[in-house]
Structures are given as C-alpha cells and as structure tokens.
C-alpha cells in the first residue's frame, strides 16, 4: 500500500510542479505570483501590492518601489535611508496607475518635483513645496558604446538590430524610435513620445528596463541576460548614458544659471579691483621715486661749491 501511495503522490507532484512553475511573471522578476485557481495565475508587486500585467512592462515607479522593499528572506538589504537623498533610486510615491506623483519626499522631510520618468526637475524644498503638475518626459536620448571599436559594424545593421530589440524585448512601438545613429564605437538612440495611448509602453519604462539589462540586473524573470547581435556578431555594450528632455524646462536651470553668472561677475569684479589696486600702487611707487630723485637734485644744486 505504501509503495502505491508513493507512486500516486509522485504523480500528483509531477503534475502540480509545471503548473506552479508556470505561475511566474515573465516581465517582472520582483512580482509575487500565486495560483488562485485552475489556469489562473495572479501576480502582485512587492511594496505596493498592485496587480501586475505580465504581458507588458511594469511602470518605472512601481519597479523602484519594489527595489526599495526589503525581501522576506533573512539576508542583507539596502535600507531606504541609504539612498534617499541621491538623485538615483529612491522609494517613490506612485499613483494607482503606476505613474509617479509629481512631488516626492524622503524621510528627512526633503521634497522635490519630478517628471514622468521620476527624475528630479526642481531644487529640493520642504513639505510645503508645491508641484502643480507632473511634467511629461517627451524625449529620451540614450548614448552607449560597445567594446572592440576597431571592429565596426555597418550603421543600417546596427539600427535594425536595436530597433528589433526595442520592439521585441521591451514592447516599444517602432513609431516611438525617432532615430538611431552609429559612429563607432558610439551609438545614439532617440526615443520620442509626445502623447501615449494607455495601451502603449512608456519610453521611461523602456529606458529603465534597458539600463537594468545593461547593468546585468535585468527585471525580466527568464532569459534575463541581454544579448544583442548584429548579423550574428555580438554587440557588447560597454557604457550607457540616459538623458531626459521634458515638455517644460527644469525649474532649477535658471537658478543654476544665475548662480553661475553671479560667480563669473564676482570673479571679473575681483580681478578688475586687484588690477586697479596694482596700478595705483605702481603709480604711487613711481611718483615717490620721482620725488626723491627731484629732491636729491635740488640739494645738489643748492650745496656750496668747494672751489
């Protein structure tokens, strides 16, 4: 009887295991999934308990919140206060739709306004800081370099490979890929998304997923390693830079410009003042020397002749 029970139990586990393994989120490794019925797998995101649509990319805001949520396992993790004051990852406030809230704050009551990509666009202030709107990031410029600059690829082949990558891996519609330029070893990608329908992925989410892939910290659950090939030859990405352009210019730019102009004016004025002071001192020394020489001549003329 016991051997028969073991066989039956093994069959049950064998049947159940594939179902359990299939209950994962392909586009988000941080999602917690559970089988809540025959063929029904529900995935939620750690840190926000929001349901996750695993057929597309997860919003950047939800991803950042998940990264800042400590795992349940007993292991070391990075506490939120360790990075809360940086301009990189922080524990964001998200709308239910996954969009960043216009104002973000940290634990020290320091607040700032962000764009739709979650990037700071104002100076830091207190809790009274007012962010009237969430300014949309319209353009994203991605610059990257690849290894082996001596083995350059053909520009059309590089553009085709990266377009296929953005379309297949990150679900980005080709109409949002404005340009791809290649000047070995530099590759420039411009994503343009002025208005976005609800069903299209956001270019900010695409840039975040891509950055994670390049840094070997992929968000995808399976096949996470990024492999880009151009006509069968590997395109090994070495460095990556991402720049965000909003519909409205950042509000701290003019302050920084004013501070820079003030610094330049101060340096010019100090240089002029020092120059004038040096000229006055030299003139005073020259006048003093002339007067001494004049007085000496006068004494020699007035002195009685010994003859």
């Amino acid at each position: 009887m016991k051997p028969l029970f073991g066989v039956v139990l093994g069959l049950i586990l064998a049947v159940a295991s594939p179902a359990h393994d299939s209950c994962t989120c392909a586009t988000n490794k941080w999602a917690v999934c559970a089988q809540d019925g025959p063929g029904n797998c529900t995935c939620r995101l750690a840190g926000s308990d929001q349901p996750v649509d695993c057929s597309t990319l997860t919003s950047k805001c939800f991803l950042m919140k998940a990264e800042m949520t400590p795992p349940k396992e007993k292991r070391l993790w990075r506490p939120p206060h360790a990075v809360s004051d940086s301009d990189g990852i922080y524990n964001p406030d998200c709308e239910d739709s996954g969009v960043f809230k216009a104002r973000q704050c940290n634990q020290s009551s320091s607040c700032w306004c962000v764009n739709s990509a979650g990037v700071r666009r104002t100076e830091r202030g207190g809790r009274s800081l007012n962010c009237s709107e969430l300014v949309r990031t319209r353009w994203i410029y991605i610059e990257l370099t690849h290894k082996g600059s001596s083995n350059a690829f053909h520009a059309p082949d590089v553009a085709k490979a990266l377009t296929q990558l953005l379309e297949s891996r990150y679900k980005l519609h080709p109409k949002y890929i404005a340009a791809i330029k290649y000047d070995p070893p530099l590759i420039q990608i411009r994503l343009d998304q002025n208005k976005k329908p609800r069903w299209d992925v956001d270019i900010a989410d695409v840039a975040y997923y891509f950055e994670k892939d390049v840094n070997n910290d992929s968000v995808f659950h399976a096949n996470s390693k990024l492999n880009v090939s151009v006509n069968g030859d590997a395109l090994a990405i070495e460095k990556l830079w991402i720049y965000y352009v909003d519909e409205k210019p950042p509000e701290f730019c003019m302050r920084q410009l004013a501070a820079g102009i003030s610094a330049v004016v101060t340096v010019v004025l100090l240089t002029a003042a020092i120059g004038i002071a040096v000229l006055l001192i030299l003139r005073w020394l020259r006048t003093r020397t002339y007067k001494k020489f004049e007085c000496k001549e006068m004494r020699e003329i007035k002195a009685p002749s010994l003859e």
Side-chain angles (χ1 to χ4, degrees), residues 112-179:
W112 60 93
C113 300
V114 299
N115 57 19
S116 60
V119 179
R120 182 167 64 92
R121 50 175 283 109
T122 66
E123 301 289 352
R124 297 180 185 272
R127 292 283 179 178
S128 60
L129 179 66
N130 180 34
C131 303
S132 58
E133 62 175 331
L134 182 69
V135 179
R136 176 161 183 77
T137 295
R138 178 181 178 182
W139 297 337
I140 291 182
Y141 291 88
I142 302 175
E143 293 184 355
L144 53 94
T145 58
H146 67 82
K147 298 179 182 179
S149 57
S150 59
N151 299 325
F153 302 95
H154 293 293
D157 295 335
V158 173
K160 181 180 179 181
L162 291 176
T163 299
Q164 291 177 347
L165 174 73
L166 294 171
E167 184 178 0
S168 60
R169 186 174 178 88
Y170 306 110
K171 319 298 182 184
L172 183 65
H173 197 286
K175 66 181 179 181
Y176 299 127
I177 306 174

Side-chain angles (χ1 to χ4, degrees), residues 35-110:
Q35 199 88 29
D36 54 3
N40 189 17
C41 179
T42 301
C43 299
R44 295 185 178 275
L45 193 61
S48 59
D49 200 34
Q50 292 286 342
V52 179
D53 182 0
C54 297
S55 65
T56 186
L57 303 188
T58 307
S59 73
K60 180 181 177 181
C61 191
F62 283 162
L63 290 178
M64 290 174 60
K65 180 170 284 293
E67 286 185 84
M68 297 304 297
T69 301
K72 294 182 179 181
E73 294 85 0
K74 294 182 179 179
R75 60 182 182 183
L76 296 177
W77 66 285
R78 183 175 54 189
H81 58 77
V83 293
S84 59
D85 288 332
S86 69
D87 284 335
I89 183 175
Y90 56 91
N91 192 359
D93 292 325
C94 311
E95 301 287 355
D96 291 340
S97 61
V99 176
F100 285 93
K101 290 186 177 181
R103 193 187 73 163
Q104 300 290 331
C105 301
N106 60 15
Q107 295 179 347
S108 62
S109 299
S110 175

